[in-house]
Amino acid sequence: MRKKTVIQTLGAVSALSMALHFSALADDPSRFVEGTDINGIEIGGLTEAQARETLENALAAGYQLTVKEKGGKSEVISGAAIGCRVSVPEHLNELLSSQNAGGRQSGPSAANSYSISVHISYDEAALAAQIRSLACISGADIVQTRDASISPYREGAPFSILAEVQGNSLNLERTEAAVRAAVASGASELDLEAAGCYEQVRVTKEDASLAALLERMNACRDMTITYTFGGQAQELTGGEIAGWMTGSENGQISIDREKAAAYIAWLAGTYDTAGTARSFHTTAGAEAVLSGPYGWSMDQAAETEALLAMIQTGQSQERQPQYAKEAASRTAPDWGNTYVEVDLGGQHVYFYRDGACVWDAPCVTGNVEKGHTTPEGIYSLTYKQEDRILRGQKQADGSYEYESHVNYWMPFNGGIGLHDADWREKFGGTIYQYAGSHGCINLPPNRTRELYDQLYAGIPVICHN
């Protein structure tokens, strides 16, 4: 019996000690009052540091975001899956101070439950992966929301209006932003529909502008654009145009720009003459096949834009293309009947006006022995200038290879041109083979002014052997 009594006595002493201990805790102003909870987590009897650690660990471990979707469905993103970390604000000690100032009241009638905002950080890549793995984003039951639109082109069939579809597809950018904001604020729930994350129909089949666009697109099926090239014509039919249409955007017909550009490139390849080989009937009666920069050359970029604009009207029309370079005539020969002919083999220059030779003179062209042979080709006069000093390449000492004053300068091929040459006593013959120019056409001084006065910028200059 004595042993039992001792045990009972010891038990009483232990109980009294524990009561005194808890009483001390309850009265300790460095600890939260018993029964205190923050955001539903018990922190009574803990110091500020202990409470902060407890809150951060508990909130991080238990965090999850419920994502509410259309049709009553929901999915959960857990804090563990996104590397969730919680930071409790520094003003936690203000709650403890308020308890101390209020007499440290505890029990059922005491208001010791608090709610505070916390800062949540997370792994950006992990959250992005969780969002994209949601069934509402990547699931098999997603119906894509689609505006009413014009049907694709089908050969032989008119365009029609495809009705709108109000599906359950989400705007990924808006959804990601809404989820990030919800997680960062520590929210436990996000309603995607209330947050405006679902895509909405903007254009219905009753839309008046869509009906007008349909009418214009069907009109394009019947339109014809006729390109004229002098006496020749090339028709672009509505059937071909309709095949370039890819639908509509912002009330305008969407056209495959590459196909339109390819058509213009084909026109240029078919009807341009600049850079192509052409036959020239010489004064001597021969046929010389020549190429060169002179001729018709379409401005393909500008004409592509013009074609796209014409299609938008839906109206048939006739058009002459825009050109980067133009020639004298659209019928062969494209240099017309007013031009300068330089016979390199015969060392003679002729000027034809309206088909009649009205001026001619012997000349000296590029030195063959020194590799300065004047090139053949079809060119045009760049400009003309009086009182000009022609210079060769600049030497290391600052001087020029040559410097020659001319009274009349008429360039047509870069630095090659027609000009007077008062340092020569003879012209024509075979002088050019061993004592010719650096490539220019040297003319008799007493004959050059007459030619100079009749020429103008753009006139064809044709050089042949």
Side-chain angles (χ1 to χ4, degrees):
M1 289 295 296
R2 183 181 234 175
K3 185 175 181 181
K4 184 176 181 180
T5 303
V6 170
I7 292 173
Q8 288 176 338
T9 304
L10 288 173
V13 171
S14 177
L16 177 60
S17 174
M18 290 177 66
L20 291 172
H21 172 69
F22 283 116
S23 177
L25 288 179
D27 291 337
D28 186 349
S30 68
R31 297 173 181 272
F32 287 93
V33 172
E34 289 298 325
T36 300
D37 71 83
I38 295 180
N39 292 7
I41 298 170
E42 176 66 39
I43 62 167
L46 301 180
T47 65
E48 180 187 345
Q50 292 169 337
R52 185 183 305 280
E53 182 179 4
T54 298
L55 285 168
E56 290 179 348
N57 291 339
L59 290 172
Y63 180 74
Q64 64 179 26
L65 176 67
T66 299
V67 180
K68 296 178 65 178
E69 305 160 8
K70 276 185 174 181
K73 296 179 181 179
S74 65
E75 299 181 69
V76 173
I77 296 175
S78 70
I82 61 174
C84 179
R85 299 177 297 279
V86 177
S87 298
V88 173
E90 292 297 325
H91 64 264
L92 192 62
N93 63 340
E94 294 178 7
L95 298 180
L96 181 58
S97 297
S98 68
Q99 286 188 336
N100 290 332
R104 301 183 60 78
Q105 299 178 12
S106 63
S109 62
N112 287 329
S113 290
Y114 303 93
S115 178
I116 63 172
S117 296
V118 297
H119 174 71
I120 295 181
S121 58
Y122 52 86
D123 184 312
E124 289 276 1
L127 180 58
Q130 285 291 304
I131 294 171
R132 290 171 186 267
S133 68
L134 292 172
C136 59
I137 294 290
S138 57
D141 295 331
I142 296 172
V143 177
Q144 193 68 40
T145 294
R146 186 177 64 240
D147 287 344
S149 60
I150 307 297
S151 64
Y153 170 71
R154 290 181 299 153
E155 187 174 356
F159 292 103
S160 61
I161 291 179
L162 300 176
E164 69 278 6
V165 175
Q166 181 57 65
N168 60 352
S169 56
L170 288 158
N171 179 286
L172 182 59
E173 184 178 347
R174 289 200 298 269
T175 302
E176 287 181 332
V179 171
R180 285 196 299 268
V183 171
S185 68
S188 60
E189 186 175 278
L190 171 64
D191 187 325
L192 293 177
E193 191 165 13
C197 296
Y198 284 96
E199 293 179 330
Q200 301 296 319
V201 168
R202 296 171 300 170
V203 180
T204 68
K205 62 183 179 181
E206 288 81 18
D207 188 85
S209 61
L210 189 63
L213 180 63
L214 174 66
E215 184 177 354
R216 204 160 68 247
M217 289 178 69
N218 278 324
C220 288
R221 295 177 66 251
D222 300 321
M223 72 185 295
T224 301
I225 296 175
T226 304
Y227 282 96
T228 59
F229 305 90
Q232 295 178 289
Q234 184 68 50
E235 285 191 351
L236 173 60
T237 66
E240 186 169 0
I241 292 171
W244 301 349
M245 295 180 184
T246 58
S248 61
E249 185 176 354
N250 299 324
Q252 294 293 310
I253 301 171
S254 297
I255 303 165
D256 188 323
R257 179 179 291 270
E258 290 186 4
K259 290 183 178 179
Y263 179 78
I264 294 300
W266 177 81
L267 281 182
T270 303
Y271 293 98
D272 280 359
T273 58
T276 65
R278 284 151 284 172
S279 181
F280 174 72
H281 186 74
T282 71
T283 299
E287 293 294 328
V289 178
L290 305 170
S291 182
Y294 181 85
W296 296 95
S297 180
M298 196 180 299
D299 186 336
Q300 294 188 41
E303 195 53 39
T304 297
E305 294 302 319
L307 174 56
L308 292 171
M310 283 189 289
I311 293 172
Q312 291 291 344
T313 68
Q315 301 296 315
S316 295
Q317 49 199 289
E318 187 176 292
R319 178 173 177 80
Q320 292 185 0
Q322 299 179 65
Y323 291 98
K325 293 180 181 178
E326 295 188 19
S329 173
R330 249 303 168 192
T331 57
D334 61 359
W335 50 82
N337 55 15
T338 297
Y339 56 87
V340 176
E341 177 187 350
V342 180
D343 185 342
L344 300 173
Q347 290 292 284
H348 210 90
V349 177
Y350 305 91
F351 172 49
Y352 283 84
R353 184 172 63 227
D354 298 329
C357 183
V358 296
W359 183 96
D360 72 286
C363 67
V364 176
T365 60
N367 191 317
V368 176
E369 283 189 2
K370 292 185 177 182
H372 298 316
T373 302
T374 303
E376 291 185 296
I378 309 171
Y379 308 94
S380 61
L381 197 69
T382 311
Y383 63 90
K384 62 180 187 177
Q385 181 182 5
E386 295 187 45
D387 193 23
R388 173 70 179 263
I389 295 177
L390 306 179
R391 294 184 173 90
Q393 292 185 347
K394 198 170 188 178
Q395 308 299 305
D397 62 0
S399 63
Y400 292 93
E401 183 183 1
Y402 65 86
E403 289 187 283
S404 302
H405 174 269
V406 299
N407 292 311
Y408 307 106
W409 170 233
M410 296 161 279
F412 59 83
N413 180 15
I416 296 175
L418 299 137
H419 63 78
D420 53 307
D422 59 8
W423 55 89
R424 292 190 182 279
E425 295 181 358
K426 294 183 179 180
F427 295 85
T430 59
I431 299 171
Y432 75 104
Q433 295 180 359
Y434 55 88
S437 69
H438 287 82
C440 286
I441 290 82
N442 294 176
L443 297 173
N446 63 337
R447 301 296 315 283
T448 308
R449 176 60 186 264
E450 184 181 353
L451 175 65
Y452 180 88
D453 287 345
Q454 297 183 78
L455 300 192
Y456 50 85
I459 192 171
V461 178
I462 303 170
C463 301
H464 66 85
N465 276 309

